Amino acid sequence: MIFGRSQRGKPPVEPVTLKILVAGGFGVGKTTLVGAVSEIRPLRTEELLTEAGRPLDDLRGVEAKHTTTVAMDFGRITLREDLVLYLFGTPGQERFWFMWDELAEGALGAVVLADTRRLEGCFAAVDYFERRSLPFVVGVNCFDGAPRYPAAEVRQALDLDPGVPLLMCDARERESVKEVLVGVVEHAMAASAARRRAVTT
Ligand SMILES: Nc1nc2c(ncn2[C@@H]2O[C@H](COP(=O)(O)OP(=O)(O)OP(=O)(O)O)[C@@H](O)[C@H]2O)c(=O)[nH]1
Ligand SMILES: [Mg+2]
């Protein structure tokens, strides 16, 4: 039997793979976010928080936290059959920030997670991506019991450019995290299209 053109199997789709950073201050839920959506067992580099670190580690709001990321989190999510994201979670504590440059290499965009009880924790991440012109979205991780603020108020407190998306999320919920990740990809794609237009006109 001869197979006609219409019966021809679809060529296998080679997915586009993109690298996304997940950054933000100490204990905002970066490791939780990567773990909530990763379809592979996430690689984690957690170490126990110790008494020695107590003066440096701000545990307000996350008193139950026993470990901290010392190098990175790594996970993978297939957003569509032709689009795979590799997620790299950064360490939140200032003493490990020297690793950010290496983690940021080749990234398309970033999520800056924020906790409204300790908003100042994410200022450095916002500065970092602004300075490098790496597209980012802010995800406000709505912890139970944390006060809720209107998006406009959080935007103002972070002094965000009008074009930077800000989304409310729950880092423990897969669907909520997916929305944030779709937001980064769309924002980064739009930013790169705008850059291309600026070059060609
Ligand atoms: N209630 C609530 N708890 C959360 C949420 N996200 C994270 N947590 C908890 O908050 C704590 C901090 O989460 P992590 O994911 O370790 O935070 P992190 O940003 O990776 O922390 P570092 O790597 O140490 O900077 C953990 O005890 C989580 O179980 C959330 O959305 N709601
Ligand atoms: Mg972590």
Side-chain angles (χ1 to χ4, degrees):
M1 175 174 158
I2 300 173
F3 285 99
R5 274 204 310 144
S6 61
Q7 287 132 321
R8 187 172 50 184
K10 275 204 222 149
V13 192
E14 263 305 314
V16 173
T17 57
L18 302 173
K19 176 177 177 179
I20 302 290
L21 284 187
V22 181
F26 172 61
V28 287
K30 302 176 293 294
T31 301
T32 304
L33 181 149
V34 174
V37 289
S38 185
E39 58 209 11
I40 54 171
R41 194 153 64 89
L43 168 79
R44 291 184 174 151
T45 58
E46 296 292 288
E47 293 290 344
L48 282 176
L49 285 164
T50 62
E51 271 307 312
R54 201 161 283 282
L56 302 172
D57 303 333
D58 180 2
L59 279 169
R60 268 179 301 144
V62 283
E63 289 80 5
K65 188 169 161 60
H66 297 298
T67 63
T68 188
T69 305
V70 293
M72 61 182 252
D73 304 302
F74 175 74
R76 187 192 71 203
I77 175 173
T78 306
L79 273 192
R80 281 192 327 232
E81 64 166 346
D82 58 347
L83 182 60
V84 172
L85 303 186
Y86 286 109
L87 303 176
F88 288 74
T90 59
Q93 296 188 82
E94 221 169 309
R95 56 185 182 275
F96 300 122
W97 284 357
F98 65 91
M99 261 174 277
W100 282 31
D101 283 342
E102 225 152 294
L103 287 175
E105 187 84 30
L108 173 88
V111 176
V112 173
L113 262 191
D115 175 354
T116 53
R117 296 165 301 179
R118 300 170 297 147
L119 205 55
E120 66 284 358
C122 74
F123 291 173
V126 169
D127 286 345
Y128 184 91
F129 297 120
E130 275 182 357
R131 238 180 294 130
R132 283 163 183 76
S133 304
L134 190 73
F136 67 96
V137 303
V138 173
V140 178
N141 190 13
C142 301
F143 281 83
D144 307 325
R148 305 287 146 100
Y149 299 97
E153 214 170 303
V154 183
R155 299 187 67 88
Q156 197 179 13
L158 291 177
D159 195 16
L160 288 185
D161 282 344
V164 175
L166 180 135
L167 301 147
M168 303 293 165
C169 68
D170 184 330
R172 301 164 299 177
E173 296 288 333
R174 186 179 161 81
E175 286 310 311
S176 172
V177 172
K178 266 176 91 171
E179 268 175 43
V180 176
L181 296 174
V182 168
V184 189
V185 172
E186 285 178 351
H187 178 56
M189 295 293 191
S192 98
R195 266 201 306 273
R196 270 200 308 277
R197 270 198 306 276
V199 170
T200 53
T201 53

